[in-house]
Amino acid sequence: ALARLRKEDAEIKWRGDMLIIPLRDAQSGALVGLEGIPAQAGADKYLLTGSRKTGAVTAIGELTDAEVVYIGEGWADTASAVEVMGGAGIVAHGAGGMEPAARYAVAQNGRAQVIIIADNDADKGDNLGLTAATSAARSISGWLAVPHLGDGVKADLSALYLYSGRDAVARCIDAAQYMGADENSREKEE
C-alpha cells in the first residue's frame, strides 16, 4: 500500500523501504517525534526513542489551502483518501488521536470541509474506531465516513482500497454523513 502514496510532501522521507513520518503536537505543531513505517505489509512500525504519539498528528499535503481535509487513524487510511479524492489529510495515530486531529484541522484551516474516516472495528463489540471517529466528527460539526467490508468484518479505508478499489473508497467518502447539531446548517461540497 505504501508504494502508491504521495511522495511530494516535504516532511515525508523514504529511507530504503521505510517511510519516515514526522509526529507533530496537535496543539502547538511542534515536532515531537518520528515514526518509521515499513513498506512491507504487516511489518512492525518503529517509533524513534523519545517520540510521543499521544496527541500527535502528521499532515499529508498542504492543510491551509485545502478545500477538504481527511482524518484517519493511520497513515495508509489517510493517504488512501487523499490519493483518491484529492485535498489534504491528517493522520491521527490511533483512535485516541481523532479528536485532537479534528481540532488541529479546524485550527489550520477553518474553511475546509473535514471528513473523519472511521476504522470500523465491526469485529469487536465496542467498535472503538467508529466511536472515536463519531465523537471527533461531532466535536467539530464535521463529516463521518465509515468503510464497510461486510457485517462483522473489521474495515478501514486502506483495506477497502485494497479489497474493493478506488471506486469503493470514493463511494465511501461520498456517503459521509454530517455530524453537526443542525444537519441543514452546512452542505457537503460536491
Side-chain angles (χ1 to χ4, degrees):
L2 293 177
R4 67 176 195 270
L5 300 181
R6 297 161 46 125
K7 295 180 181 175
E8 66 266 16
D9 290 303
E11 290 194 317
I12 309 303
K13 306 289 184 207
W14 284 93
R15 296 278 187 247
D17 67 347
M18 180 85 59
L19 181 69
I20 308 296
I21 62 171
L23 305 172
R24 296 205 169 272
D25 183 84
Q27 291 183 332
S28 69
L31 185 66
V32 295
L34 296 172
E35 181 177 39
I37 305 174
Q40 179 183 355
D44 290 335
K45 298 176 187 176
Y46 299 93
L47 197 61
L48 182 68
T49 302
S51 296
R52 174 174 58 85
K53 281 179 87 170
T54 303
V57 296
T58 301
I60 300 175
E62 183 55 51
L63 298 175
T64 57
D65 297 332
E67 291 182 21
V68 181
V69 175
Y70 303 96
I71 299 173
E73 282 190 32
W75 174 267
D77 303 318
T78 309
S80 294
V82 172
E83 177 190 335
V84 171
M85 304 300 288
I90 298 173
V91 181
H93 300 288
M98 295 297 267
E99 281 193 46
R103 288 191 298 274
Y104 183 77
V106 172
Q108 294 298 307
N109 182 347
R111 299 173 317 281
Q113 177 188 9
V114 179
I115 299 178
I116 310 292
I117 303 161
D119 268 22
N120 187 359
D121 300 325
D123 60 330
K124 298 178 180 141
D126 64 355
N127 202 334
L128 177 61
L130 180 58
T131 301
T134 301
S135 179
R138 285 188 175 136
S139 76
I140 60 160
S141 294
W143 296 82
L144 177 67
V146 183
H148 186 74
L149 286 172
D151 292 341
V153 177
K154 177 177 175 47
D156 60 26
L157 205 64
S158 64
L160 186 65
Y161 189 113
L162 179 66
Y163 295 116
S164 302
R166 295 174 63 89
D167 290 344
V169 169
R171 284 191 303 274
C172 174
I173 292 171
D174 285 342
Q177 297 294 308
Y178 179 66
M179 300 303 289
D182 177 5
E183 294 189 21
N184 296 318
S185 65
R186 276 176 75 181
E187 291 184 24
K188 183 176 176 187
E189 295 176 20
E190 296 297 327

Coordinates of all heavy atoms in Angstrom, one line a residue, residues 90-185:
I90 N -4.9 14.4 7.6 CA -4.2 14.4 8.9 C -4.3 13.0 9.4 O -5.3 12.4 9.5 CB -4.8 15.4 9.9 CG1 -4.7 16.8 9.3 CG2 -4.2 15.3 11.2 CD1 -5.5 17.8 10.2
V91 N -3.1 12.4 9.8 CA -3.0 11.1 10.4 C -3.2 11.4 11.9 O -2.4 12.2 12.5 CB -1.7 10.4 10.1 CG1 -1.6 9.1 10.8 CG2 -1.5 10.3 8.6
A92 N -4.1 10.7 12.6 CA -4.4 10.9 14.0 C -3.6 10.0 14.9 O -3.5 10.2 16.1 CB -5.9 10.7 14.3
H93 N -3.0 8.9 14.3 CA -2.1 8.0 15.1 C -2.9 7.3 16.1 O -2.5 7.2 17.3 CB -0.9 8.6 15.6 CG 0.0 9.2 14.6 ND1 0.7 8.5 13.7 CD2 0.2 10.5 14.2 CE1 1.4 9.3 12.9 NE2 1.1 10.5 13.2
G94 N -4.1 6.7 15.8 CA -4.9 5.9 16.7 C -6.2 6.6 17.0 O -6.4 7.8 16.8
A95 N -7.1 5.8 17.6 CA -8.5 6.2 17.9 C -8.4 7.4 18.9 O -9.2 8.3 18.8 CB -9.3 5.0 18.5
G96 N -7.5 7.3 19.9 CA -7.4 8.4 20.9 C -7.0 9.7 20.3 O -7.1 10.8 20.9
G97 N -6.4 9.7 19.1 CA -6.0 11.0 18.5 C -6.9 11.6 17.6 O -6.7 12.7 17.0
M98 N -8.1 11.0 17.4 CA -9.1 11.5 16.4 C -9.6 12.9 16.8 O -9.6 13.8 15.9 CB -10.2 10.6 16.2 CG -9.8 9.2 15.6 SD -9.1 9.4 13.9 CE -10.6 9.1 13.0
E99 N -10.0 13.2 18.0 CA -10.5 14.5 18.4 C -9.4 15.6 18.3 O -9.6 16.6 17.8 CB -11.2 14.5 19.7 CG -12.6 13.9 19.6 CD -13.4 14.2 20.9 OE1 -13.4 15.3 21.4 OE2 -14.1 13.2 21.3
P100 N -8.2 15.3 18.9 CA -7.1 16.3 18.7 C -6.8 16.6 17.3 O -6.6 17.7 16.9 CB -5.9 15.7 19.4 CG -6.5 14.7 20.4 CD -7.8 14.2 19.8
A101 N -6.8 15.6 16.4 CA -6.6 15.8 15.0 C -7.7 16.6 14.4 O -7.4 17.5 13.5 CB -6.5 14.5 14.3
A102 N -8.9 16.4 14.8 CA -10.0 17.2 14.2 C -9.9 18.7 14.6 O -10.1 19.6 13.8 CB -11.4 16.6 14.7
R103 N -9.6 18.9 15.9 CA -9.3 20.3 16.3 C -8.2 20.9 15.6 O -8.2 22.1 15.3 CB -9.2 20.3 17.8 CG -10.5 20.0 18.6 CD -10.3 20.3 20.1 NE -9.3 19.5 20.8 CZ -9.5 18.3 21.2 NH1 -10.7 17.7 21.1 NH2 -8.6 17.6 21.8
Y104 N -7.1 20.2 15.4 CA -6.0 20.7 14.6 C -6.4 21.1 13.2 O -5.9 22.1 12.7 CB -4.9 19.6 14.6 CG -3.6 20.0 13.9 CD1 -2.7 20.8 14.6 CD2 -3.3 19.5 12.6 CE1 -1.5 21.1 14.0 CE2 -2.1 19.9 12.0 CZ -1.2 20.7 12.7 OH 0.0 21.0 12.1
A105 N -7.2 20.2 12.6 CA -7.6 20.5 11.2 C -8.4 21.9 11.1 O -8.1 22.7 10.3 CB -8.5 19.4 10.7
V106 N -9.3 22.1 12.1 CA -10.0 23.3 12.1 C -9.1 24.5 12.4 O -9.3 25.6 11.8 CB -11.2 23.2 13.2 CG1 -11.9 24.6 13.4 CG2 -12.2 22.2 12.7
A107 N -8.1 24.3 13.3 CA -7.2 25.4 13.6 C -6.3 25.8 12.4 O -6.0 27.0 12.2 CB -6.3 25.0 14.8
Q108 N -6.0 24.8 11.6 CA -5.1 25.0 10.5 C -5.9 25.6 9.3 O -5.4 26.4 8.5 CB -4.4 23.7 10.0 CG -3.5 23.2 11.0 CD -2.3 24.1 11.2 OE1 -1.6 24.6 10.3 NE2 -2.1 24.5 12.5
N109 N -7.2 25.3 9.2 CA -8.0 25.7 8.1 C -9.5 25.6 8.4 O -10.1 24.6 8.2 CB -7.7 24.8 6.8 CG -8.4 25.3 5.6 OD1 -9.4 26.1 5.6 ND2 -8.0 24.8 4.4
G110 N -10.0 26.6 9.0 CA -11.4 26.7 9.4 C -12.4 26.7 8.3 O -13.6 26.5 8.5
R111 N -11.9 26.9 7.0 CA -12.8 26.9 5.9 C -13.0 25.5 5.2 O -13.9 25.3 4.5 CB -12.3 27.9 4.8 CG -12.1 29.3 5.3 CD -11.4 30.2 4.2 NE -10.2 29.6 3.6 CZ -9.0 29.5 4.2 NH1 -8.8 30.0 5.4 NH2 -8.0 28.9 3.5
A112 N -12.1 24.6 5.5 CA -12.1 23.3 4.9 C -13.3 22.5 5.4 O -13.7 22.5 6.6 CB -10.8 22.6 5.1
Q113 N -13.8 21.6 4.5 CA -14.7 20.6 5.0 C -13.8 19.5 5.6 O -12.9 19.0 4.9 CB -15.5 20.0 3.8 CG -16.4 18.9 4.1 CD -17.0 18.2 2.9 OE1 -16.7 18.5 1.8 NE2 -17.9 17.3 3.1
V114 N -14.2 19.0 6.8 CA -13.4 18.0 7.4 C -14.2 16.7 7.5 O -15.3 16.7 8.0 CB -13.0 18.4 8.9 CG1 -12.2 17.3 9.6 CG2 -12.2 19.7 8.9
I115 N -13.6 15.7 6.9 CA -14.2 14.4 6.8 C -13.4 13.4 7.7 O -12.2 13.1 7.4 CB -14.3 13.8 5.4 CG1 -15.2 14.8 4.6 CG2 -14.9 12.4 5.4 CD1 -15.4 14.4 3.1
I116 N -14.0 12.9 8.7 CA -13.4 11.9 9.6 C -13.6 10.5 9.1 O -14.8 10.2 8.8 CB -13.9 12.0 11.0 CG1 -13.9 13.5 11.6 CG2 -13.2 11.1 12.0 CD1 -12.6 14.1 11.8
I117 N -12.6 9.7 8.9 CA -12.7 8.4 8.3 C -12.6 7.4 9.5 O -11.5 7.3 10.1 CB -11.7 8.1 7.3 CG1 -11.8 9.2 6.2 CG2 -11.8 6.7 6.7 CD1 -10.6 9.3 5.3
A118 N -13.6 6.7 9.8 CA -13.6 5.7 10.9 C -12.8 4.5 10.5 O -12.8 4.0 9.4 CB -15.0 5.3 11.2
D119 N -12.2 3.9 11.5 CA -11.8 2.5 11.5 C -13.0 1.8 12.0 O -13.4 1.9 13.2 CB -10.6 2.2 12.4 CG -9.2 2.4 11.7 OD1 -9.2 3.1 10.7 OD2 -8.2 1.8 12.2
N120 N -13.6 1.0 11.1 CA -14.8 0.3 11.5 C -14.5 -1.0 12.1 O -14.3 -2.0 11.5 CB -15.7 0.1 10.3 CG -17.1 -0.5 10.6 OD1 -17.4 -0.7 11.8 ND2 -17.9 -0.6 9.6
D121 N -14.3 -1.0 13.5 CA -13.9 -2.2 14.2 C -15.1 -3.1 14.5 O -15.5 -3.4 15.6 CB -13.2 -1.8 15.5 CG -12.0 -1.0 15.3 OD1 -11.3 -1.2 14.3 OD2 -11.7 -0.1 16.1
A122 N -15.8 -3.5 13.4 CA -17.1 -4.2 13.5 C -16.9 -5.6 14.1 O -17.9 -6.2 14.5 CB -17.7 -4.3 12.1
D123 N -15.7 -6.1 14.1 CA -15.4 -7.4 14.7 C -15.3 -7.4 16.2 O -15.2 -8.4 16.8 CB -14.1 -7.9 14.1 CG -12.9 -7.1 14.4 OD1 -13.0 -5.8 14.5 OD2 -11.8 -7.6 14.5
K124 N -15.4 -6.2 16.8 CA -15.4 -6.0 18.3 C -16.7 -5.4 18.7 O -17.2 -4.5 18.1 CB -14.2 -5.1 18.6 CG -12.9 -5.7 18.2 CD -11.7 -4.8 18.6 CE -10.4 -5.5 18.1 NZ -9.5 -4.6 17.5
G125 N -17.1 -5.8 19.9 CA -18.4 -5.4 20.4 C -18.5 -3.9 20.6 O -19.5 -3.2 20.3
D126 N -17.4 -3.2 21.1 CA -17.4 -1.8 21.4 C -17.2 -0.9 20.2 O -17.4 0.3 20.3 CB -16.5 -1.4 22.6 CG -15.0 -1.7 22.3 OD1 -14.7 -2.2 21.2 OD2 -14.2 -1.3 23.1
N127 N -16.6 -1.4 19.2 CA -16.2 -0.7 17.9 C -15.6 0.7 18.3 O -16.1 1.7 17.9 CB -17.5 -0.5 17.0 CG -17.0 -0.2 15.6 OD1 -16.0 0.3 15.3 ND2 -17.9 -0.6 14.7
L128 N -14.5 0.6 18.9 CA -13.7 1.8 19.4 C -13.5 2.8 18.2 O -13.6 4.0 18.4 CB -12.4 1.4 20.1 CG -11.5 2.5 20.5 CD1 -12.3 3.4 21.6 CD2 -10.2 2.0 21.1
G129 N -13.1 2.2 17.1 CA -12.7 3.1 16.0 C -13.9 3.9 15.5 O -13.8 5.1 15.3
L130 N -15.1 3.3 15.4 CA -16.3 4.1 15.0 C -16.7 5.0 16.1 O -17.1 6.2 15.8 CB -17.4 3.1 14.7 CG -18.7 3.7 14.2 CD1 -18.6 4.6 13.0 CD2 -19.8 2.6 14.0
T131 N -16.6 4.6 17.3 CA -17.0 5.5 18.4 C -16.1 6.8 18.5 O -16.6 7.9 18.6 CB -16.9 4.8 19.8 OG1 -17.8 3.7 19.7 CG2 -17.3 5.7 20.9
A132 N -14.8 6.6 18.3 CA -13.9 7.7 18.4 C -14.0 8.6 17.2 O -14.0 9.9 17.3 CB -12.4 7.2 18.4
A133 N -14.3 8.1 16.0 CA -14.5 8.9 14.8 C -15.8 9.7 14.9 O -15.8 10.8 14.5 CB -14.4 8.0 13.6
T134 N -16.8 9.0 15.4 CA -18.1 9.7 15.5 C -18.0 10.9 16.5 O -18.4 12.0 16.2 CB -19.2 8.8 16.0 OG1 -19.3 7.7 15.0 CG2 -20.5 9.4 16.2
S135 N -17.3 10.7 17.6 CA -17.1 11.7 18.6 C -16.3 12.9 18.0 O -16.6 14.0 18.2 CB -16.4 11.1 19.8 OG -16.2 12.1 20.8
A136 N -15.2 12.5 17.2 CA -14.4 13.6 16.6 C -15.2 14.4 15.6 O -15.1 15.6 15.6 CB -13.2 12.9 16.0
A137 N -16.0 13.7 14.8 CA -16.8 14.5 13.8 C -17.8 15.4 14.5 O -18.0 16.5 14.1 CB -17.5 13.5 12.9
R138 N -18.4 14.9 15.5 CA -19.4 15.7 16.3 C -18.7 16.9 17.0 O -19.3 18.0 17.0 CB -20.2 14.9 17.3 CG -21.2 14.0 16.7 CD -22.0 13.3 17.7 NE -23.1 12.5 17.0 CZ -23.5 11.3 17.3 NH1 -22.9 10.7 18.3 NH2 -24.4 10.7 16.6
S139 N -17.5 16.7 17.4 CA -16.8 17.8 18.2 C -16.5 19.0 17.3 O -16.4 20.1 17.9 CB -15.5 17.2 18.8 OG -14.5 17.1 17.8
I140 N -16.5 18.8 16.0 CA -16.2 19.9 15.1 C -17.3 20.2 14.1 O -17.1 20.9 13.2 CB -14.9 19.8 14.4 CG1 -14.9 18.5 13.5 CG2 -13.7 19.8 15.3 CD1 -13.9 18.4 12.4
S141 N -18.4 19.5 14.3 CA -19.5 19.6 13.3 C -19.0 19.2 11.9 O -19.2 19.9 10.9 CB -20.2 20.9 13.3 OG -20.9 21.2 14.5
G142 N -18.3 18.1 11.9 CA -17.7 17.6 10.6 C -18.5 16.5 10.0 O -19.7 16.2 10.4
W143 N -17.9 15.7 9.1 CA -18.5 14.7 8.4 C -17.9 13.3 8.8 O -16.7 13.3 9.2 CB -18.3 14.9 6.9 CG -19.0 16.1 6.4 CD1 -18.6 17.4 6.5 CD2 -20.3 16.2 5.8 NE1 -19.5 18.3 6.0 CE2 -20.6 17.6 5.6 CE3 -21.2 15.2 5.5 CZ2 -21.8 18.0 5.0 CZ3 -22.4 15.7 4.9 CH2 -22.7 17.0 4.7
L144 N -18.6 12.2 8.7 CA -18.1 10.9 9.1 C -18.3 9.9 7.9 O -19.4 9.8 7.4 CB -18.9 10.4 10.3 CG -18.6 9.0 10.8 CD1 -17.2 9.0 11.4 CD2 -19.6 8.6 11.8
A145 N -17.2 9.3 7.5 CA -17.2 8.3 6.5 C -16.9 6.9 7.2 O -15.9 6.9 8.0 CB -16.2 8.6 5.4
V146 N -17.7 5.9 6.9 CA -17.5 4.6 7.6 C -17.3 3.5 6.5 O -18.2 3.1 5.8 CB -18.7 4.3 8.5 CG1 -18.5 3.0 9.2 CG2 -19.0 5.4 9.4
P147 N -16.1 3.0 6.4 CA -15.8 1.9 5.5 C -16.6 0.6 5.9 O -16.8 0.4 7.1 CB -14.3 1.7 5.6 CG -13.8 2.9 6.2 CD -14.9 3.4 7.1
H148 N -17.0 -0.1 4.9 CA -17.8 -1.4 5.2 C -17.3 -2.5 4.3 O -17.3 -2.3 3.1 CB -19.3 -1.1 5.0 CG -20.1 -2.2 5.5 ND1 -20.3 -2.6 6.8 CD2 -20.8 -3.1 4.7 CE1 -21.1 -3.6 6.8 NE2 -21.4 -4.0 5.6
L149 N -16.9 -3.6 4.8 CA -16.5 -4.8 4.0 C -17.4 -6.0 4.3 O -17.2 -7.0 3.7 CB -15.1 -5.1 4.3 CG -14.0 -4.2 3.8 CD1 -12.6 -4.6 4.3 CD2 -14.0 -4.3 2.3
G150 N -18.4 -5.8 5.1 CA -19.4 -6.9 5.4 C -19.7 -6.9 6.8 O -19.0 -6.3 7.7
D151 N -20.8 -7.5 7.2 CA -21.3 -7.5 8.6 C -20.3 -8.2 9.4 O -19.8 -9.3 9.1 CB -22.7 -8.2 8.7 CG -23.8 -7.4 8.0 OD1 -23.6 -6.1 7.8 OD2 -24.8 -7.9 7.7
G152 N -19.9 -7.6 10.5 CA -19.0 -8.2 11.5 C -17.5 -8.2 11.0 O -16.7 -8.9 11.7
V153 N -17.2 -7.5 9.9 CA -15.8 -7.6 9.4 C -15.2 -6.2 9.7 O -15.7 -5.2 9.3 CB -15.8 -7.8 7.9 CG1 -14.4 -7.8 7.3 CG2 -16.5 -9.2 7.6
K154 N -14.0 -6.3 10.3 CA -13.2 -5.0 10.5 C -12.9 -4.4 9.2 O -12.4 -5.1 8.3 CB -11.9 -5.4 11.3 CG -11.1 -4.2 11.5 CD -9.9 -4.5 12.4 CE -8.9 -3.4 12.5 NZ -9.4 -2.1 12.9
A155 N -13.0 -3.1 9.1 CA -12.8 -2.4 7.8 C -12.2 -1.0 8.1 O -12.7 -0.3 8.9 CB -14.0 -2.3 7.0
D156 N -11.1 -0.7 7.4 CA -10.6 0.6 7.4 C -10.4 1.0 5.9 O -10.7 0.2 5.0 CB -9.3 0.8 8.2 CG -8.1 0.0 7.7 OD1 -8.1 -0.4 6.5 OD2 -7.2 -0.4 8.5
L157 N -10.1 2.3 5.7 CA -10.1 2.8 4.3 C -9.0 2.1 3.4 O -9.3 1.8 2.3 CB -10.0 4.3 4.3 CG -10.6 4.9 3.0 CD1 -12.1 4.7 2.9 CD2 -10.2 6.4 3.0
S158 N -7.9 1.8 4.0 CA -6.8 1.2 3.2 C -7.2 -0.2 2.9 O -6.9 -0.7 1.8 CB -5.5 1.2 3.9 OG -5.5 0.5 5.1
A159 N -7.9 -1.0 3.8 CA -8.4 -2.3 3.4 C -9.5 -2.2 2.3 O -9.5 -3.0 1.4 CB -9.0 -3.0 4.7
L160 N -10.4 -1.2 2.4 CA -11.4 -1.0 1.4 C -10.7 -0.8 0.1 O -11.1 -1.4 -1.0 CB -12.3 0.1 1.8 CG -13.5 0.4 0.9 CD1 -14.5 -0.8 1.0 CD2 -14.2 1.7 1.3
Y161 N -9.7 0.0 0.0 CA -8.9 0.3 -1.2 C -8.3 -1.0 -1.7 O -8.5 -1.3 -2.9 CB -7.8 1.3 -0.9 CG -7.1 1.8 -2.1 CD1 -7.3 3.2 -2.5 CD2 -6.3 1.0 -2.9 CE1 -6.6 3.7 -3.6 CE2 -5.6 1.5 -4.0 CZ -5.8 2.8 -4.4 OH -5.1 3.3 -5.5
L162 N -7.7 -1.8 -0.9 CA -7.0 -3.0 -1.3 C -8.0 -4.0 -1.8 O -7.7 -4.6 -2.8 CB -6.2 -3.6 -0.1 CG -5.5 -4.8 -0.3 CD1 -4.3 -4.6 -1.3 CD2 -4.9 -5.4 1.0
Y163 N -9.1 -4.2 -1.1 CA -10.0 -5.3 -1.5 C -11.1 -4.9 -2.5 O -11.5 -5.7 -3.3 CB -10.7 -5.9 -0.2 CG -9.7 -6.6 0.7 CD1 -9.5 -6.1 2.0 CD2 -9.0 -7.7 0.3 CE1 -8.6 -6.7 2.8 CE2 -8.1 -8.3 1.1 CZ -7.9 -7.8 2.4 OH -7.0 -8.4 3.2
S164 N -11.4 -3.6 -2.5 CA -12.5 -3.2 -3.4 C -12.2 -2.1 -4.4 O -13.0 -1.8 -5.2 CB -13.7 -2.7 -2.5 OG -14.1 -3.8 -1.7
G165 N -11.0 -1.5 -4.2 CA -10.6 -0.5 -5.2 C -10.9 1.0 -5.0 O -11.6 1.3 -4.0
R166 N -10.4 1.8 -5.8 CA -10.5 3.3 -5.7 C -12.0 3.7 -5.7 O -12.4 4.6 -5.0 CB -9.8 3.9 -6.9 CG -8.3 3.8 -6.9 CD -7.7 4.4 -8.2 NE -8.0 5.8 -8.3 CZ -7.2 6.7 -7.8 NH1 -6.1 6.4 -7.2 NH2 -7.5 8.0 -7.9
D167 N -12.8 3.1 -6.6 CA -14.2 3.5 -6.7 C -15.0 3.2 -5.3 O -15.8 4.0 -5.0 CB -14.9 2.7 -7.8 CG -14.5 3.2 -9.2 OD1 -13.9 4.3 -9.3 OD2 -14.8 2.5 -10.2
A168 N -14.6 2.2 -4.7 CA -15.2 1.9 -3.4 C -14.8 2.9 -2.3 O -15.7 3.4 -1.5 CB -14.9 0.5 -2.9
V169 N -13.6 3.4 -2.4 CA -13.1 4.4 -1.5 C -13.9 5.7 -1.8 O -14.4 6.4 -0.9 CB -11.6 4.7 -1.6 CG1 -11.2 5.9 -0.9 CG2 -10.8 3.5 -1.1
A170 N -14.0 6.1 -3.0 CA -14.8 7.3 -3.4 C -16.2 7.2 -3.0 O -16.8 8.2 -2.4 CB -14.7 7.5 -4.9
R171 N -16.8 6.0 -3.1 CA -18.2 5.9 -2.7 C -18.4 6.0 -1.2 O -19.3 6.6 -0.7 CB -18.8 4.5 -3.2 CG -19.2 4.5 -4.6 CD -20.0 3.2 -5.0 NE -19.3 2.0 -4.6 CZ -18.4 1.4 -5.4 NH1 -18.1 1.9 -6.6 NH2 -17.8 0.2 -5.0
C172 N -17.4 5.5 -0.5 CA -17.5 5.5 1.0 C -17.4 7.0 1.4 O -18.2 7.4 2.3 CB -16.3 4.7 1.6 SG -16.1 4.9 3.4
I173 N -16.5 7.7 0.9 CA -16.3 9.1 1.3 C -17.5 10.0 0.8 O -18.0 10.9 1.5 CB -14.9 9.7 0.8 CG1 -13.8 9.0 1.5 CG2 -14.8 11.2 0.9 CD1 -12.4 9.2 1.0
D174 N -18.0 9.7 -0.4 CA -19.1 10.5 -0.9 C -20.4 10.2 0.0 O -21.3 11.1 0.0 CB -19.4 10.1 -2.4 CG -18.5 10.7 -3.4 OD1 -17.8 11.6 -3.0 OD2 -18.4 10.2 -4.5
A175 N -20.4 9.1 0.6 CA -21.6 8.8 1.5 C -21.4 9.3 2.9 O -22.2 9.0 3.8 CB -21.8 7.3 1.5
A176 N -20.3 10.1 3.2 CA -20.1 10.6 4.5 C -21.3 11.4 5.0 O -22.0 12.1 4.3 CB -18.9 11.5 4.5
Q177 N -21.6 11.2 6.3 CA -22.8 11.9 6.9 C -22.3 13.0 7.8 O -21.3 12.9 8.5 CB -23.5 10.8 7.8 CG -24.1 9.7 7.1 CD -25.2 10.1 6.1 OE1 -26.1 10.8 6.5 NE2 -25.0 9.8 4.9
Y178 N -23.1 14.1 7.7 CA -22.8 15.3 8.6 C -23.1 15.0 10.0 O -24.2 14.4 10.3 CB -23.6 16.5 8.0 CG -23.4 17.7 8.9 CD1 -22.1 18.4 8.9 CD2 -24.4 18.3 9.6 CE1 -21.9 19.5 9.7 CE2 -24.2 19.4 10.4 CZ -23.0 20.0 10.4 OH -22.8 21.1 11.2
M179 N -22.2 15.4 10.9 CA -22.4 15.0 12.3 C -22.6 16.3 13.2 O -22.3 16.2 14.4 CB -21.2 14.2 12.8 CG -21.0 12.9 12.0 SD -22.5 11.8 12.1 CE -22.4 11.3 13.7
G180 N -23.0 17.4 12.7 CA -23.2 18.6 13.5 C -24.6 18.5 14.1 O -25.4 17.7 13.9
A181 N -24.8 19.5 15.0 CA -26.1 19.6 15.7 C -27.3 19.9 14.8 O -28.3 19.4 15.0 CB -26.0 20.8 16.7
D182 N -27.1 20.7 13.7 CA -28.1 21.0 12.8 C -27.7 20.5 11.4 O -26.8 21.2 10.8 CB -28.4 22.5 12.8 CG -29.5 22.9 11.8 OD1 -30.1 22.0 11.1 OD2 -29.7 24.1 11.6
E183 N -28.2 19.4 10.9 CA -27.8 18.8 9.7 C -28.0 19.7 8.5 O -27.4 19.5 7.4 CB -28.4 17.5 9.5 CG -28.0 16.5 10.5 CD -28.4 15.1 10.2 OE1 -28.8 14.8 9.0 OE2 -28.4 14.3 11.1
N184 N -28.8 20.8 8.6 CA -29.1 21.7 7.5 C -28.2 22.9 7.5 O -28.2 23.8 6.6 CB -30.5 22.1 7.5 CG -31.4 20.9 7.2 OD1 -31.1 20.1 6.4 ND2 -32.5 20.8 8.0
S185 N -27.3 23.1 8.5 CA -26.5 24.3 8.7 C -25.3 24.3 7.8 O -24.7 25.3 7.6 CB -26.1 24.5 10.1 OG -25.3 23.5 10.6

